[in-house]
Amino acid sequence: MVSARLLVLSLFSVSLVGSQPTESSQQVSSPPAHPAGEPSLSIDNLSFPWSRLRLPKYIIPLHYHLLLHPNLTSLSFTGSVQIQIDVQNNTNWVVLHSKGLQISKATILDQNFAHLSDQVLPVLHNPSHEQIGIFSPRVLSSGQKYFLYIEFGAELAEGFYGFYKSTYRTSTGETRTLASTHFEPTSARMAFPCFDEPSFKANFSVRIRRPPEYISLSNMPVIKTVEVSGGLLEDQFAPSVQMSTYLVAFVICDFKSVTGTTSSGVQVSIYAAPEKWQQTHYALEVAVKMLDFYEEFFNIRYPLPKQDLIAIPDFQSGAMENWGLTTYRETSLLYDPLTSSVSDKLWVTMVIGHELAHQWFGNLVTMEWWNDIWLNEGFARYMEYISVEATYPDLKVEEYLLHTCFAAVGHDSLNSSRPISSPAENPTQIKEMFDTVSYDKGACVLHMLRHFLTDEVFQRGIVRYLRKYSYKNAHNQDLWDSLANTCSEEDFISGKHCYSSSQASKNAYLFAGEHLNLTAMMNTWTLQKGIPLVTVTRKGARLLLRQDRFLKTVLPSDPQWSTLQKGFLWHIPLTYKTDSSSTIHRHLMTSPTDSIHIGEEASWVKVNSDMTGYYMVHYEDGGWDVMTKLLRENHTALSYKDRTHLIHNAFQLVTAGHLPLNKALDLIGYLLLETHTVPLLQGLGYLEAFYHLVEKRDESVLTHNLGAYILRFFRAVIDQQTWSDSGTVSERRLRTEVLSLACHLDDPPCVKRARQHFSDWLQSNGTLNLPTDVAETVYSVGAQDDHGWASLLHTYKISLSEAHKHKILYALTSSKDTSKLEGLLELGLEGKVIRSQDLSTLILMVARNPKGHYLAWNFVKKNWDTLVQKFQLGSFCIRNIIIGTTSQFSSPEELTEVQSFFESIKEQASQLRATQIALDNVLKNVRWVQRNLETLRKWLNEQMQ
């Protein structure tokens, strides 16, 4: 609507005034020189003035003027920064962050750019806290503003943090270098001295010097380029809006771009290595659509004139939301219609949706500290689903939300989980916050809240939150306050935020007849760890309810059960459906036990409709038999999400010891009737997981019988698949999964067809483009002989499509030849043929292979120090390596082996939550095998008769 758009513009003209540079923050290219020969102050009698990890709050940065000169030949950079600071306490010291930088000069100037001292100021370093202290002999007075001027230099970093080097190879074999940044969470301090905490928001004016054959990019557009000495050009960028240091970004490269414009005039450009330019067009279409969608959904204009998206050849995470210059791994941005599958397309779409959601959630409004990083990441993960469903409905993204919540449950049902909002102080702890809990559980709790409050109330609340805290920082509580206060239309239009207590009491929500304290409810989901299990028992017309903490590593009969349950209570927004009504009923459960009236006439009740709630459900006293009967006789009485949810809950309850395995296996017997992809893949996924577990044990008969049963049970589904790229997104996803498993199980028709396709591909000299949905399966079958494997490795080396290379790498790691697997791991460690960014993925791929299971684990143990050096302790790569290589261990001996390795790296392991998660996972597997292997053996024997 026009009026809404005009309103937003007027609001922004007000709020942006405060974030523009003031006249007094004008740039001086360098401060007036000291008189020649002046001595520097001695540091002998000075000790570092600050002992805490967090910086003092009494010096506030207002505006950074940053000049950088990277040298892509010597792989180093020099720079200077002038920071306008607001001093709020009398002090002689300025303490800020710096890591790995050589500080060559530091001075402090007053508002008139006059030096406070005629001597070079001493700089003290505290490397363990990544801080420097600059001493001023003259007191900096409270209420005054000053300029801190620092000159510095460093090598371009190895690895993936700070200001680091990246390379790519052209098709002619030439290696080209670029320099890029990744600062989140605590690495801006590796590129320039700064107040590197999210609450120190400031404006940034950036200048970058470069040779003419390169371009430079930063958060804002270039406003001027001037020639400087040595044939260099200096790009001067417009001043930024107020933002946190971790969102600053710059790239110096020789990339090409495609450009489009949103309906509100924002210029959107996609950058990639020149020979990959053709793969940028889909991302441009998505980014323009997404920005248009978010501007309308949030009713807040995107505040920058441009948004660049760039594919960096060396990139550890999936992508990064730097304001106005989002950076991506190539697989997260580039789409090649000839080699990218429909899953690759969905991934690119979702990642762009995630990073552009951050331009509001995270960039415009930022969490006060990293303990609440879920306010950024949980929202961005959830907005992936909302944005893709709105802009690309054919991608059926809603079919994936359940799996996000299932991933969260898998993590949260271990005792080693953590609350969504958790303390994190040092850089390693902060990095570890970027995990399943922040992203996936955060998204699922928001999904529950949205359904609980209704779409309209939820959307109005988050718009209010974004408006109130624009260019500021927020806590958990601020979000609950925004959601729990509704505005009158007049207040909303006038820009008020409805935060008076009288307004709050007027607007208390009524839910199932009860007044709701939203803060009290949401604190049970964000301030305590774990997930509740609601046990349901039918008693005539009533449903008896009990809530406990759901744990997969401890049984109710174990001595520690009561200790681990103590003090846990959730406010659970229950939903349920019966056969006697089409209504979805609601009930807020706030006590350990409860009951609800459902009527005598209901023959069945399904709790947690469509799994909109983040809780598990156990149907006691024959309740699961009722569900099994319903699925066999009339499965379409339940939605596909409800059917998938039942399958998930049943097998999770088996792992936790609440349900016998044969009951869960009987439940999925109905899948012969199932036509929807999601429940089919859920049931197949559990059988596949069991197969992968037993094939790594000395259980050849059981492995064979389980494989034979899967092939027989899913025969009709396997035979229906075509070796093509036709059909809906759901059908194509099913084809990929089903044919991959069938060939892994050596199904003769599958293997024969794959061999034929691979033979055709070999004969074409690799020029034939296989159907993308089955390419990975075809390559995996072809990789089993020496010639096929060598051909694939050659293609891997020369392919320009990262999506294609990922499929080939998967195939290469499926070889049964251990020397080939060892060779691949060494190539990954070397980082040339297989990039270091892909090493953690490679290790996990090898670990999935029964022949590579121990190889991968031994490789990690042997090269542990190198891996930590490459990826940094606490990073998601280290976490994935630790959890992924141990996730298939299932014997007490393997548990002891993992424990002893963690003991040997105790100093590092004690800092990581991931080591405890890995141990919990192995313990869970050990217990699963002890409780269920004989049941599985017996059940299969009965089925095969």
Side-chain angles (χ1 to χ4, degrees):
M1 286 173 16
V2 176
S3 59
R5 188 54 58 88
L6 288 174
L7 156 72
V8 175
L9 277 169
S10 66
L11 280 173
F12 265 87
S13 63
V14 174
S15 56
L16 281 174
V17 168
S19 58
Q20 294 304 320
T22 58
E23 281 190 32
S24 64
S25 70
Q26 69 194 36
Q27 169 68 6
V28 290
S29 54
S30 67
H34 287 291
E38 283 295 335
S40 60
L41 283 164
S42 166
I43 63 170
D44 295 344
N45 301 322
L46 298 172
S47 58
F48 202 82
W50 191 250
S51 60
R52 298 180 196 169
L53 271 167
R54 304 267 285 269
L55 294 177
K57 294 290 184 197
Y58 51 78
I59 294 185
I60 312 294
L62 302 175
H63 199 127
Y64 292 76
H65 285 278
L66 180 62
L67 169 64
L68 286 162
H69 177 198
N71 185 323
L72 297 183
T73 308
S74 66
L75 302 178
S76 61
F77 67 95
T78 55
S80 66
V81 66
Q82 176 194 291
I83 312 171
Q84 186 186 28
I85 55 173
D86 183 4
V87 175
Q88 300 186 345
N89 274 353
N90 288 351
T91 182
N92 289 92
W93 287 94
V94 179
V95 177
L96 68 164
H97 288 111
S98 174
K99 181 183 178 184
L101 299 173
Q102 301 295 319
I103 309 292
S104 54
K105 181 179 182 182
T107 57
I108 298 176
L109 302 94
D110 65 17
Q111 293 259 52
N112 302 314
F113 295 103
H115 288 279
L116 294 196
S117 169
D118 56 5
Q119 294 174 308
V120 175
L121 301 183
V123 179
L124 269 61
H125 293 256
N126 183 358
S128 65
H129 287 184
E130 301 175 355
Q131 293 170 357
I132 54 171
I134 297 169
F135 177 75
S136 168
R138 217 168 94 195
V139 171
L140 306 181
S141 303
S142 178
Q144 297 297 307
K145 294 183 175 65
Y146 297 90
F147 293 99
L148 178 63
Y149 177 82
I150 305 172
E151 292 178 4
F152 56 91
E155 303 296 307
L156 286 171
E158 296 284 341
F160 307 96
Y161 290 99
F163 194 15
Y164 69 93
K165 75 175 174 82
S166 174
T167 60
Y168 70 94
R169 276 167 69 89
T170 66
S171 55
T172 58
E174 182 193 350
T175 297
R176 294 190 182 169
T177 305
L178 60 141
S180 182
T181 58
H182 184 100
F183 292 161
E184 191 180 35
T186 59
S187 295
R189 62 194 70 171
M190 294 172 68
F192 59 101
C194 56
F195 297 79
D196 200 9
E197 294 177 8
S199 62
F200 287 120
K201 290 192 170 187
N203 304 97
F204 295 83
S205 296
V206 176
R207 294 180 297 148
I208 295 176
R209 292 185 177 169
R210 59 175 173 87
E213 64 270 24
Y214 287 90
I215 59 167
S216 73
L217 301 169
S218 188
N219 306 82
M220 300 298 286
V222 173
I223 47 172
K224 190 178 177 187
T225 299
V226 296
E227 279 191 46
V228 291
S229 60
L232 295 173
L233 299 176
E234 181 179 290
D235 291 327
Q236 299 175 0
F237 295 87
S240 76
V241 295
Q242 272 189 302
M243 62 184 191
S244 305
T245 47
Y246 77 86
L247 294 169
V248 176
F250 26 91
V251 182
I252 297 85
C253 63
D254 63 352
F255 286 5
K256 284 182 68 179
S257 64
V258 291
T259 299
T261 309
T262 68
S263 55
S264 63
V266 177
Q267 185 172 301
V268 179
S269 301
I270 317 292
Y271 287 84
E275 290 178 292
K276 297 182 179 181
W277 178 79
Q278 293 292 353
Q279 300 174 43
T280 57
H281 299 281
Y282 178 67
L284 179 64
E285 176 201 306
V286 173
V288 169
K289 260 191 180 183
M290 288 284 184
L291 273 178
D292 280 339
F293 167 77
Y294 282 134
E295 285 198 325
E296 187 176 337
F297 186 86
F298 295 134
N299 199 13
I300 293 174
R301 286 287 291 269
Y302 173 74
L304 308 188
K306 62 93 175 174
Q307 172 66 245
D308 296 333
L309 300 84
I310 183 167
I312 305 294
D314 297 285
F315 201 84
Q316 184 179 173
S317 57
M320 176 60 209
E321 66 267 20
N322 319 298
W323 215 345
L325 176 56
T326 50
T327 47
Y328 298 77
R329 190 180 267 245
E330 289 184 332
T331 47
S332 301
L333 188 68
L334 304 182
Y335 174 76
D336 175 15
L338 297 176
T339 58
S340 298
S341 68
V342 71
S343 297
D344 297 328
K345 188 177 198 175
L346 176 66
W347 175 250
V348 167
T349 316
M350 290 180 79
V351 175
I352 293 172
H354 182 103
E355 302 313 325
L356 295 186
H358 271 311
Q359 307 302 298
W360 286 264
F361 274 102
N363 299 9
L364 185 63
V365 179
T366 312
M367 73 278 139
E368 180 74 23
W369 183 250
W370 301 106
N371 61 309
D372 278 334
I373 186 60
W374 85 277
L375 288 173
N376 286 18
E377 298 303 347
F379 258 109
R381 173 59 50 90
Y382 189 42
M383 290 309 300
E384 292 172 28
Y385 293 96
I386 293 175
S387 64
V388 177
E389 195 172 345
T391 52
Y392 290 89
D394 57 312
L395 288 178
K396 297 285 182 199
V397 73
E398 69 277 7
E399 294 183 1
Y400 289 78
L401 180 58
L402 285 177
H403 295 282
T404 293
C405 298
F406 295 162
V409 171
H411 185 100
D412 220 14
S413 52
L414 303 174
N415 194 42
S416 48
S417 186
R418 64 170 182 86
I420 282 179
S421 187
S422 299
E425 291 300 321
N426 67 41
T428 296
Q429 291 167 347
I430 291 167
K431 283 190 191 78
E432 275 214 303
M433 294 294 286
F434 292 79
D435 65 356
T436 306
V437 174
S438 289
Y439 285 75
D440 298 343
K441 182 178 179 179
C444 296
V445 165
L446 289 170
H447 182 59
M448 174 170 69
L449 186 57
R450 184 184 180 209
H451 279 264
F452 177 69
L453 297 176
T454 73
D455 290 3
E456 186 193 354
V457 170
F458 180 80
Q459 187 174 351
R460 278 212 313 262
I462 61 175
V463 169
R464 197 154 42 245
Y465 168 79
L466 289 171
R467 289 225 179 131
K468 183 174 171 71
Y469 297 100
S470 286
Y471 306 103
K472 299 191 186 91
N473 298 79
H475 300 91
N476 261 345
Q477 186 61 50
D478 300 321
L479 178 61
W480 311 145
D481 288 345
S482 298
L483 287 164
N485 288 271
T486 55
C487 284
S488 68
E489 195 59 29
E490 297 77 33
D491 282 348
F492 196 59
I493 287 170
S494 67
K496 291 181 185 171
H497 301 291
C498 320
Y499 267 70
S500 70
S501 54
S502 60
Q503 183 75 38
S505 59
K506 267 192 285 182
N507 295 326
Y509 280 111
L510 285 172
F511 182 82
E514 299 168 60
H515 279 280
L516 170 68
N517 180 338
L518 190 67
T519 298
M521 173 185 156
M522 293 313 297
N523 282 349
T524 71
W525 298 99
T526 59
L527 302 185
Q528 66 181 349
K529 66 180 178 180
I531 177 170
L533 168 65
V534 176
T535 301
V536 176
T537 313
R538 181 76 185 268
K539 266 279 175 33
R542 296 199 76 73
L543 207 58
L544 306 185
L545 308 168
R546 183 182 83 246
Q547 62 162 295
D548 298 290
R549 182 181 169 201
F550 179 63
L551 282 166
K552 284 197 293 204
T553 47
V554 185
L555 294 172
S557 54
D558 291 342
Q560 66 266 49
W561 172 263
S562 57
T563 310
L564 292 173
Q565 291 290 339
K566 199 171 183 181
F568 283 87
L569 180 72
W570 287 265
H571 292 191
I572 308 172
L574 291 175
T575 53
Y576 62 95
K577 185 184 173 190
T578 70
D579 60 335
S580 57
S581 160
S582 59
T583 309
I584 292 176
H585 303 276
R586 296 164 171 255
H587 175 76
L588 188 64
M589 182 179 183
T590 56
S591 54
T593 58
D594 205 345
S595 71
I596 42 182
H597 180 83
I598 58 165
E600 296 277 2
E601 66 279 9
S603 62
W604 55 262
V605 57
K606 162 69 178 65
V607 180
N608 199 356
S609 298
D610 287 345
M611 200 185 163
T612 50
Y614 184 71
Y615 57 95
M616 304 291 290
V617 183
H618 178 33
Y619 301 92
E620 223 168 34
D621 295 348
W624 281 105
D625 296 333
V626 174
M627 288 300 161
T628 300
K629 182 170 180 282
L630 172 63
L631 289 175
R632 290 208 165 158
E633 293 175 0
N634 185 19
H635 68 279
T636 55
L638 298 174
S639 69
Y640 83 84
K641 289 180 182 176
D642 274 337
R643 303 194 298 269
T644 309
H645 179 235
L646 282 174
I647 294 167
H648 172 261
N649 272 216
F651 281 101
Q652 293 296 311
L653 289 164
V654 169
T655 305
H658 296 288
L659 192 68
L661 176 61
N662 55 307
K663 292 274 189 192
L665 291 167
D666 289 343
L667 180 89
I668 61 170
Y670 97 93
L671 287 175
L672 289 169
L673 311 166
E674 185 59 80
T675 55
H676 199 286
T677 296
V678 177
L680 258 176
L681 286 180
Q682 191 65 29
L684 182 61
Y686 280 113
L687 294 174
E688 185 177 358
F690 300 158
Y691 184 86
H692 286 310
L693 197 67
V694 298
E695 75 172 340
K696 293 182 180 70
R697 298 173 62 85
D698 188 17
E699 292 279 359
S700 55
V701 175
L702 180 58
T703 303
H704 174 267
N705 287 350
L706 180 54
Y709 172 76
I710 293 170
L711 289 174
R712 195 181 77 182
F713 187 78
F714 289 98
R715 185 79 262 157
V717 178
I718 296 166
D719 290 346
Q720 282 164 12
Q721 304 310 313
T722 59
W723 293 68
S724 68
D725 282 342
S726 63
T728 64
V729 170
S730 297
E731 288 163 351
R732 293 180 65 182
R733 183 178 158 212
L734 182 67
R735 172 188 302 132
T736 298
E737 301 284 342
V738 165
L739 291 178
S740 172
L741 180 58
C743 279
H744 180 71
L745 297 176
D746 292 324
D747 179 44
C750 184
V751 173
K752 182 182 176 187
R753 188 73 185 268
R755 279 198 183 125
Q756 183 55 55
H757 275 288
F758 190 72
S759 173
D760 294 344
W761 179 79
L762 279 178
Q763 282 178 346
S764 76
N765 237 347
T767 57
L768 174 73
N769 286 305
L770 293 167
T772 58
D773 297 344
V774 296
E776 192 170 271
T777 298
V778 170
Y779 292 147
S780 296
V781 170
Q784 299 313 313
D785 69 58
D786 290 350
H787 176 56
W789 196 89
S791 302
L792 284 164
L793 183 59
H794 171 71
T795 305
Y796 181 88
K797 290 175 181 176
I798 61 170
S799 174
L800 286 172
S801 162
E802 287 299 313
H804 190 214
K805 289 174 74 169
H806 184 85
K807 294 173 182 61
I808 294 172
L809 189 61
Y810 183 91
L812 291 169
T813 61
S814 71
S815 170
K816 295 178 178 62
D817 182 339
T818 54
S819 64
K820 287 187 171 69
L821 300 177
E822 284 174 338
L824 287 172
L825 289 169
E826 290 306 321
L827 285 175
L829 197 63
E830 183 191 37
K832 290 177 182 168
V833 173
I834 299 172
R835 289 181 180 274
S836 292
Q837 67 167 15
D838 299 318
L839 178 55
S840 64
T841 303
L842 169 69
I843 293 169
L844 299 198
M845 285 176 175
V846 172
R848 283 190 82 239
N849 182 339
K851 297 288 185 188
H853 187 208
Y854 290 118
L855 268 184
W857 172 240
N858 290 330
F859 175 84
V860 170
K861 289 192 297 179
K862 179 183 166 190
N863 297 288
W864 173 252
D865 290 336
T866 308
L867 293 171
V868 170
Q869 194 182 344
K870 274 182 185 291
F871 299 119
Q872 294 199 6
L873 206 59
S875 68
F876 89 98
C877 278
I878 290 294
R879 184 164 64 246
N880 286 350
I881 288 168
I882 289 173
I883 297 169
T885 50
T886 55
S887 65
Q888 297 283 291
F889 289 154
S890 62
S891 71
E893 296 75 23
E894 288 166 333
L895 179 58
T896 305
E897 151 75 15
V898 175
Q899 283 170 325
S900 71
F901 174 62
F902 289 163
E903 191 61 34
S904 74
I905 55 160
K906 193 172 184 177
E907 193 181 329
Q908 292 164 320
S910 63
Q911 298 179 57
L912 294 175
R913 195 178 280 110
T915 50
Q916 197 50 54
I917 294 167
L919 288 169
D920 269 3
N921 261 327
V922 180
L923 177 61
K924 175 198 74 181
N925 292 346
V926 169
R927 291 197 151 200
W928 191 93
V929 167
Q930 289 168 346
R931 283 202 298 265
N932 298 299
L933 210 60
E934 290 313 308
T935 310
L936 179 61
R937 204 187 311 276
K938 187 178 163 198
W939 188 86
L940 281 171
N941 288 338
E942 289 168 4
Q943 304 303 310
M944 303 304 275
Q945 284 170 5

